[in-house]
Amino acid sequence: MTKRISNAWPYTYIGAAAGTVLACGMILAAGETIFSVTFDSKSRRSVFRNKSRGTFAQHDPAHQATEDTQAQLWFEQTRHAVQIRSYDGLKLHAWRFDANTAAPLPHTYVICMHGYTGGPEEMAPWAYHYANLGMRVLVPAQRAHELSEGRFVGMGWLEREDLLRWVNSIVASDPDARILLHGNSMGAATILDVCADSRLARNVVCAVVDSGFSSEYDQMLDSVSAMLHMPKWMAKPMVDCASLVNRLRLGFGFRQANAIEQLHRTTLPILFIQGDQDDIVSPHMLGRLYAACASPVKARLQVHGAGHTLSLTTDRNLYWSTVDAFLRRCLHMAD
C-alpha cells in the first residue's frame, strides 16, 4: 500500500497543478473578455456593438428613458458644434447651446455629461431645463461616443481629463465664467473623479451627479456578478484580472478610479441623486457618496420607484424643485 502511494503522489500533484493552470487560464480569459466587452468600443464583443440586443438593452439608460419631445426638438434645432483636442490627441466633439431666455444669467454655464454607451442627445431634457434657466449649455460626447474619436472608454477616469479641457475651453473665452457640472451614470463618475483635482478651475462652482458609483472596482464587481449570476467572491478574481488588463492597456487599474477618495478631499458643493430601484448602480452607493463628501455644501435626493438615471422621468417636479433649490443656494439665483 505504501509503495502505491509513493508511486502515485507525483501524478496527484501534476494533476492539481494542471487544474490550477487551467483555472488560471480561464480567469485570465474572463478578464480579457470583460475588458473587451466593456472598455473596447471597437471589439466585436463590446456592449457598444451589441447594445441593441436584448441581453444589453436593460443596461442602456437611453433605451429606458422617456423621450421629451419638446426638449429633443430644441436640442436638434438650436445646437452648434464645438471641437477640442484631448490630452492624447483625440478629436472631441460637443454641442453648444445659448440660453433659452431673453434674460440670460451672466457668465453662467453648465456642462452636461452623458452616460456609458449613450450620447449627447440623451441629455436633452437636462440641457433644455438649464438653458431655460438662463445658462449657456455645453454637452460633450464622451470619448469613443457619438462624434468624438477614440476606441477605449475609461468609465470616468480617462474622461476626467477630457472634462478638464472642456472646462478650460469655457474659462479661456470667459474668465469670469461660473460653471455647473451635471453628469448621469458614467458622466456622474467623470465629475466625481475630478471633483478634488487641483487642476479643476475655480470657475466650477457646483455639481449635480445622478446615479454615480463609488468606484470603478465596486461597479465592475457588481456588474460582473449580476451579469454572470454568481456571488461576488466568485466574480472577484475575474474583475481583478480585468483590472490588470485595463492597467496594461489603458494605464490604470479599477481601484485607482475611486470616487470615495476624491470626495474625501473635495470642497465642491455637490447634489447627489439616485433612484431607489436602480438595478445597475446599487442604491446603497448614494449614501456612501454623500457620507464621503467633505464639502461643506452637499445635498442628496433618492427618488422612490426610479430606476437607473430615471429619477427625472419618475418624479419630474421633485427632481427639478430639488435641483433648482440647490442651484439657488450655490449660484445665488433668484426664485
Side-chain angles (χ1 to χ4, degrees), residues 239-262:
V239 173
D240 288 337
C241 188
S243 179
L244 176 60
V245 174
N246 200 76
R247 182 179 294 280
L248 295 173
R249 298 285 187 85
L250 302 183
F252 71 97
F254 295 159
R255 294 183 187 276
Q256 188 175 344
N258 191 322
I260 297 296
E261 291 184 4
Q262 297 294 318

Side-chain angles (χ1 to χ4, degrees), residues 46 117 237:
S46 76
T117 75

Side-chain angles (χ1 to χ4, degrees), residues 192-208:
L192 293 173
D193 285 340
V194 81
C195 67
D197 197 308
S198 61
R199 299 170 296 168
L200 184 64
R202 293 184 179 181
N203 303 72
V204 175
V205 295
C206 59
V208 177

Side-chain angles (χ1 to χ4, degrees), residues 4-23:
R4 288 183 181 179
I5 294 175
S6 176
N7 289 338
W9 77 262
Y11 301 103
T12 302
Y13 280 96
I14 291 172
T20 301
V21 170
L22 179 60

